[in-house]
Amino acid sequence: MPLLPAVGGTGRAPRPAALLQRLASPELWSGPGASLGVVANTLVLALAAATTSTLLGFGLALAAERTRLGRWKAVGLLAVLPVVTPPFVVGLAIILLFGRFGAVTQALEWAFAIPATRWIYGWPGLLLAQTMAFTPVAFLMLRGTLQGIAPSIEQAAGTLRAPPGRVFRRVTLPLCAPGLANAFLLAMVESMADFGNPALLGGQIEVLSTQIYFALVGAQQDAGRAAALGLLLLAMTATVFILQTVGLARAHYTTIAGKADGALTTALPTGLARGVTGLTLGWLALTVAVYGTVLAAGFVKQVGLDHTPTLQHLTDAFGLEHGEFGLVWSGAAWKPLFTTLWAAGLAAPFTAAGGLALAWLIERRRFAGRRLLEFTVLLTFAIPGTVVGLAYIGAFNLPPIELTGTLGVLIACFIFRDLPVAMRAGSAALAQVDASLEEAAATLRHAPWPALRRALLPLLKPALVVALVVSLVRAATSLSPVVFLATPEFTPVTVWVIERAESAQYGLAIIASAALVAAMGLSIALIQRLVGERAIRRSTQALSS
């Protein structure tokens, strides 16, 4: 039996009419009654999720960099916590909080007689879940952008007696345009390719990613339809990319030149500072509520039915025993956790290095096909994970490169899947760094690599942190691409978790997910410790609260 469903039958030539017929399917363009079609649902959700996650990420970045909240190390950790969590866990937590029998829903019914409904399934749940999923990436990228703004530029505006509000609107905000545009682009593309959240919380809302999945593995078994929908999704991604490129093509955002900057950091306007502080505190409260619910659910016998406290799930997942030959990792979740850490840990450095190298090549070199190369790399981010997994099985199932069933196929999938994030983070950072730094190093007859290492790389530390962190956690929490690549020997935690969830073993699933979150949190702290932060100022002004 073939691993991949046949497309079009044996010996058949491609037929453009078949593609047009599939793309003209009425359900793609209009839903029943006055509801939207699949394409409109995908676009509306992507625009809404990209807008909310970019704005929220920008607010969190402003709070972390320009208010007193930045002194709390917990702010940065909690802000990125959702991105290190498997998709199933956030969705389950949202259901446990806001579902028909959720804690918040039951409390509202008891206190205010608000009847419990299934309102979370559909647009509200989808938007909330995707906003929580994509905001951390926007926060990381925009925090690096804010760190890259030379304080002397803002201080010069203040010297001309411009009030703080005008400095922010006319100076700070325009200089953040590359980071905002890249964060919006990544969030929108990832929303269009997201499968886990629509499958769990979509209700009656159909999007392209779920349609592709069910066309491949559902009752339809129509790989031709899946391929046609995949082409449509890629066309939508191309349109987003072109609009973003055209919008930034004629502007310049260089803020870092070759001399030190000893100016003071400009404080935010009072109203904006209070607003982003309140926004950040609200986000942190929601994050604590979500993960507190998840953690509590891992220590009860049966979520939603029997809330008797127990440690049985922890013992079953991560038990340790003393055997004849020493310590035995007897817990069922140890092997999936080690597999995930090995694959993600090996893939992350290659992903970060490759992404930053591509960003430098695209931003600093002029050659034919430069933008085509950028778009080609970005396409790997837009293809739904289920399609990627099946494609890797077909590509690496036979000699000369036979990787299917090995750890190597997981590493290869993670590297190429996450290259766009590293590349876009590098592009946003390079847009702020004056090319004259490299030109000056070349004038002094420095070899290319020492010049890049000494003059450019220290200024790209935020981009390097983003690339390493996001590539690591995306690989560790990836689900849809590896569903088809997992084997009994090499099963990632996310696949193991979803298998436990399908058999209603929610306690085991939550405990294993919590262990993965803890491992990713320690990894992020280690990355930030080793890489450090870019320093382009010698002193700072007292920040507003």
Side-chain angles (χ1 to χ4, degrees), residues 312-328:
Q312 187 62 44
H313 304 309
L314 180 62
T315 303
D316 292 342
F318 295 105
L320 293 173
E321 296 179 0
H322 287 281
E324 181 180 355
F325 300 100
L327 191 65
V328 178

Side-chain angles (χ1 to χ4, degrees), residues 57 60-61 63-65 67-84 135-141 143 147 280-281 283-284 287 465 469 473 520-521 524-525 528 533:
L60 295 177
E65 287 298 313
T67 73
R68 296 185 185 277
L69 284 180
R71 301 175 183 176
W72 298 358
K73 296 296 184 182
V75 172
L77 178 61
L78 290 175
V80 300
L81 191 57
V83 82
V84 305
T135 293
V137 178
F139 164 75
L140 288 171
M141 187 171 292
R143 188 176 190 181
Q147 291 173 348
T280 301
L281 293 176
W283 169 265
L284 297 180
T287 303
V465 170
V469 168
V473 299
M520 290 299 100
I524 291 173
Q528 292 177 334
E533 294 184 351

